[in-house]
Amino acid sequence: MSRSLLECYWTSLTHWQRRFNPFLSRPQFLPRSPSIRLVKPLSARPFPPPSRYFSASFAMENPQTKPPKGLPLVVDASSEEEYSSQSKLLKEFIDIPIVDKAWTFTSSSGSQGMFLVSQPNLLENKKRRYILSNTITKGADSSVNFKWAPFPVEMAGVSAMVPSPSGSKLLVIRNSENDSPTHFEIWGPSHVEKEIRIPRSVHGTVYSDGWFEGISWNSDETLIAYVAEEPTPGKPTFTNFGYKKGNGADNDCGSWKGKGEWEEDWGETYAGKRQPALFVIDINSEEVYPVEGIGKSLSVGQVVWAPKVEGSQQYLVFVGWPSDTRKLGIKYCYNRPCALYAVKAPTSKSEVHESDHKATEAETMVKLTETISSAYFPRFSPDGKFLVFLSSKSSVDSGAHSATNSLHRIDWSTERKPCQGAKIVDVVPVIMCPEDGCFPGIYCFGILSEPWLSDGNTLVLSSYWGSTQVVLSINILSGHVTRISPSNSDFSWNILTLDGDNIIAVCSSPVDIPKIKYGVVEKASPEAIWSWLDISSPISICSEKVRSLLSSQQFSIMKIPVSDVSESLPKGATKPYEAIFVSSKSKKHDKHDPMIVILHGGPHSVSLSSFSKSLAFLSSLGFSLLIVNYRGSLGFGEEALQSLPGKIGSQDVNDVITAIDHVINMGLADPCKIAVLGGSHGGFLTTHLIGQAPEKFAAAAARNPVCNLALMVGTSDIPDWCYVETFGSQGILSYTEAPSSEHLAAFYSKSPIAHISKVKTPTLMLLGAKDLRVPVCTGLQYARALKEKGVEVKVISFPEDVHGIERPQSDFESFLNIGVWFKKYCK
């Protein structure tokens, strides 16, 4: 029986049996296969009853003995206790709350804060989000006190929350999971003032993805601009007599709806989502107006209101991504061309109808950034004189999916009218080769909606700086950049919100759970000095066991010298790269803890010195961690980053091996007890390393790894990535939807599967079956090839997961299996 038929059989049978026996967890007469075995997901043990949660995972192992009766097929008697103990510890780490966002509101009595906090809900397989409020008071001695509400309030079913500019209203959006209307709720201080239901005939779900997402109140707090899926077009209707003219009802039992023409989406995490379009809602009249004059080939997002002038037409500024030909995957891909546009905001039905009949796209929409290939995150200065935005022009121009950002501004017209092709002023350029210890450039992936200090010219944001995240202040007139989080800290800092001229941030490290910090300016210009106060918070909590385990660990950021320096390398690519080393504080006589090498994806991403629940869990099992930021990572300047495209599978592999040898030579690791773990491009490196250095690793685990570029290029949502990373600067010019045989040969030669014959390391593969970025077929091919040559391999497939494998149960089961796998082979 084929795997797909077997899964369908089991799923249908299990559903039928549960209808009559809800306590039955699985059919008892399921046929077994020696090579492919369906397993009960370990995320369901020991927490939810196994009958409620089941995924069609499968393992490819050759069991030496038949499991005792009554035990799960995947867990033998010797492993049962290990799974049980590790699952309990992992649950304690999973329960640590994380702050996602924060807002502050000023009143006559002081400030109030509102924190959006999240925790995984394993039983429901969703994130649980809740609000925790506080009152902020300041003492005469410059002390700051946060008085927290006694209990948080869960925000069940909430897709987005956006306070109005004055803080007197709160917009709450609830997207439905079916064809029900989208709910807009306007909350006042004590009750819901308005509840507006918007049917699917007007638009689909509101985008709350953090990228296309844009929800903006106007200054009068009467209109809200936002981005939502355009309404679904009519589908053809058929009956027993054939095609039915007109648009029949969906629930007509005598007919059925056809599928209509296929519509391309933006790839990974956007499967099935319709084109993002711009709308305005009047909260008084409850009318929704689609914004007209925007080309059908333009996807829109990140909308903000332009400054208002009394008696003049209001404008909206938004980001537009063209898609004249193919929509390539946009998640984590900042190399998609985009620009800022301005359009007149409709405020009545008559204006909408007037624009339908009289205006053309050229007359109503103005392209503001004609001379630059990328522009996003628009923010107006408080006085309305400047429009500031980030750019990923280095990504767009080079083809690298992410690269060093630049910051720019446009001088906004005193008449508050948009100007076609306005002059763009460079505020902070791309930094090519930073001096040692100096500002490496901007690496920012989110800006506060109100990021300004009271002088109106200083913007604050979080940015990567080597292996850390820091808080920066930038003067948009002079371009002067200041690091305002502590320069002597190896912790990572992320800004949450402003409280006047003070900053509320979160600070953490690989061995320290996130803590709230309050930044206060001690000295005014020319060089402001910031002090950071510790804030006691119910958010910064964990179990006593977790606290004890973390307190026994330490971390450092190492500089790793480049081993393959050549004259062809630019200066920035010859400088040392970094690795974060996490280890036990206690010294063991002539013995070292086994070490896990952690490799980030991208490749143009970075592993930060911030707290990670999953990595803290692994280190608490008794492993040292070597977290390598090989050349090509973000945070080290553009020359180092651009040195990798065209050299994947060689330069990055050598950097990882050099880092491993570095810690071994320092006497910090046992060369016989090393495991390697990576996802996406980190999985590419993991599978390359066990092929190119087969004697070096005792165990390996790969999450959605890139194993065969020749297979991936024809199935991924980002085939251009394969070209750029394989061919370097020529890749963007060589890209085609129909690769030649020469291209396919080059892709194969760069891939881990080219080294499959040398692999002998026991390997765990964790795959998301709905991954559009690195489709599951690439990982399965590699696993089958390992099995064919007798290498021990285990595969767990998560049927509903995409590239990130981030659903709570899947993430839990993934890292539980990684922990057990590594303990088994790195004793």
Side-chain angles (χ1 to χ4, degrees), residues 686-702:
T686 295
T687 46
H688 252 304
L689 285 161
I690 61 177
Q692 294 193 41
E695 305 295 337
K696 217 170 187 73
F697 301 97

Side-chain angles (χ1 to χ4, degrees), residues 293-338:
I294 300 174
K296 292 296 184 183
S297 64
L298 204 65
S299 293
V300 305
Q302 302 178 17
V303 63
V304 295
W305 290 88
K308 182 181 178 181
V309 176
E310 292 298 329
S312 298
Q313 174 73 50
Q314 284 190 282
Y315 283 87
L316 297 168
V317 172
F318 64 92
V319 182
W321 290 265
S323 55
D324 297 321
T325 53
R326 174 176 176 176
K327 288 179 181 174
L328 292 164
I330 203 167
K331 184 75 171 180
Y332 313 120
C333 293
Y334 301 90
N335 55 330
R336 308 302 175 217
C338 56

Side-chain angles (χ1 to χ4, degrees), residues 337-535:
C338 56
L340 297 187
Y341 298 84
V343 67
K344 290 182 179 179
T347 55
S348 68
K349 287 285 187 185
S350 60
E351 288 185 18
V352 174
H353 295 319
E354 183 180 349
S355 67
D356 286 341
H357 293 96
K358 296 182 179 180
T360 66
E361 177 185 331
E363 292 171 331
T364 58
M365 188 174 69
V366 176
K367 187 174 183 179
L368 302 172
T369 55
E370 287 189 326
T371 60
I372 195 168
S373 57
S374 170
Y376 55 91
F377 290 154
R379 298 292 185 270
F380 281 97
S381 60
D383 59 10
K385 292 182 179 179
F386 306 111
L387 175 60
V388 178
F389 62 92
L390 276 178
S391 174
S392 288
K393 61 180 182 179
S394 291
S395 293
V396 175
D397 298 345
S398 69
H401 70 91
S402 188
T404 313
N405 302 140
S406 50
L407 186 70
H408 308 268
R409 79 165 194 265
I410 293 172
D411 295 344
W412 198 250
S413 166
T414 55
E415 298 177 354
R416 301 297 194 261
K417 291 184 178 180
C419 178
Q420 182 88 17
K423 180 183 177 182
I424 297 174
V425 178
D426 297 339
V427 177
V428 180
V430 170
I431 304 298
M432 299 302 294
C433 180
E435 295 299 322
D436 293 345
C438 295
F439 173 59
I442 295 177
Y443 302 88
C444 176
F445 300 94
I447 298 180
L448 299 177
S449 58
E450 297 294 335
W452 305 96
L453 298 183
S454 60
D455 64 2
N457 298 322
T458 302
L459 176 147
V460 292
L461 51 77
S462 301
S463 180
Y464 303 160
W465 188 308
S467 299
T468 67
Q469 187 173 32
V470 302
V471 181
L472 303 176
S473 69
I474 302 172
N475 186 297
I476 63 166
L477 299 180
S478 66
H480 183 67
V481 179
T482 304
R483 177 175 174 172
I484 58 178
S485 54
S487 59
N488 60 350
S489 171
D490 282 340
F491 284 47
S492 280
W493 296 68
N494 184 33
I495 187 168
L496 293 174
T497 189
L498 299 181
D499 180 27
D501 272 346
N502 304 317
I503 297 173
I504 299 176
V506 65
C507 167
S508 70
S509 85
V511 298
D512 296 272
I513 65 172
K515 291 182 171 60
I516 305 295
K517 299 282 187 175
Y518 194 86
V520 180
V521 180
E522 288 188 341
K523 181 181 177 183
S525 58
E527 281 295 331
I529 298 175
W530 289 77
S531 63
W532 293 90
L533 309 177
D534 294 326
I535 301 299

